Amino acid sequence: NSGGVEIRNKYSKICLDKKDISVIKDSNHEHNEICIFEGFFDYLTFRNIEKSENLTSDYLVLNSTAMLFKADEIIKNYERISLFLDNDPNGESAKKIIRQKYQNVEDCSLLYSDFKDLNEWFCSNSTFP
């Protein structure tokens, strides 16, 4: 949201300019649900699984669990919160904080409980040509 760019390859993850959260909203519809992702690849994986060009909710990519504090003003405006955070200590900590602050929180990481994140689960269950 601040104009920074996340750059990633198999050797490193860096941010050029300011690190911030990314909010993706449907300009044609107001949604009462927000899906929260720790990283952009998990968001892209979700959209690939969803197979819809239309947005079915609003989306928030933290780009790091350390950015959770920047999301409070956004999250509080939603009736339903779906979490697609990593299954690691940082993700678990963020899940706990969100559950304590908000109601109607669904932890969707149960779908990929044996994997680090949604993208890793998807890649392990997909066959690529």
Side-chain angles (χ1 to χ4, degrees):
N1 285 5
S2 295
V5 177
E6 295 284 329
I7 297 178
R8 176 181 172 166
N9 66 26
K10 66 181 182 177
Y11 304 110
S12 68
K13 296 179 188 180
I14 60 172
C15 179
L16 298 179
D17 209 2
K18 287 185 176 181
K19 186 142 187 98
D20 201 356
I21 60 175
S22 301
V23 179
I24 299 106
K25 287 187 166 205
D26 187 342
S27 59
N28 297 319
H29 299 92
E30 282 201 29
H31 296 284
N32 62 1
E33 177 182 18
I34 190 161
C35 296
I36 302 175
F37 302 89
E38 195 164 328
F40 215 82
F41 277 94
D42 292 320
Y43 164 72
L44 294 174
T45 298
F46 179 84
R47 293 305 313 271
N48 188 46
I49 293 168
E50 197 174 38
K51 301 266 191 238
S52 172
E53 292 193 22
N54 299 320
L55 300 181
T56 58
S57 65
D58 290 339
Y59 305 93
L60 168 66
V61 181
L62 295 173
N63 294 311
S64 169
T65 55
M67 297 287 107
L68 184 57
F69 74 97
K70 289 187 167 201
D72 276 336
E73 289 300 312
I74 295 162
I75 297 171
K76 72 180 187 182
N77 296 312
Y78 292 88
E79 293 175 23
R80 290 191 330 249
I81 301 164
S82 297
L83 303 178
F84 293 87
L85 302 177
D86 291 2
N87 289 317
D88 62 11
N90 288 336
E92 293 300 324
S93 177
K95 290 174 204 176
K96 184 177 179 182
I97 291 167
I98 293 169
R99 279 196 207 113
Q100 288 173 345
K101 279 187 164 184
Y102 305 100
Q103 296 180 348
N104 298 320
V105 176
E106 182 179 4
D107 181 5
C108 299
S109 69
L110 299 173
L111 292 167
Y112 50 93
S113 61
D114 294 334
F115 298 88
K116 180 185 177 286
D117 58 27
L118 182 65
N119 185 48
E120 184 180 280
W121 168 80
F122 180 76
C123 290
S124 76
N125 289 296
S126 298
T127 54
F128 296 103

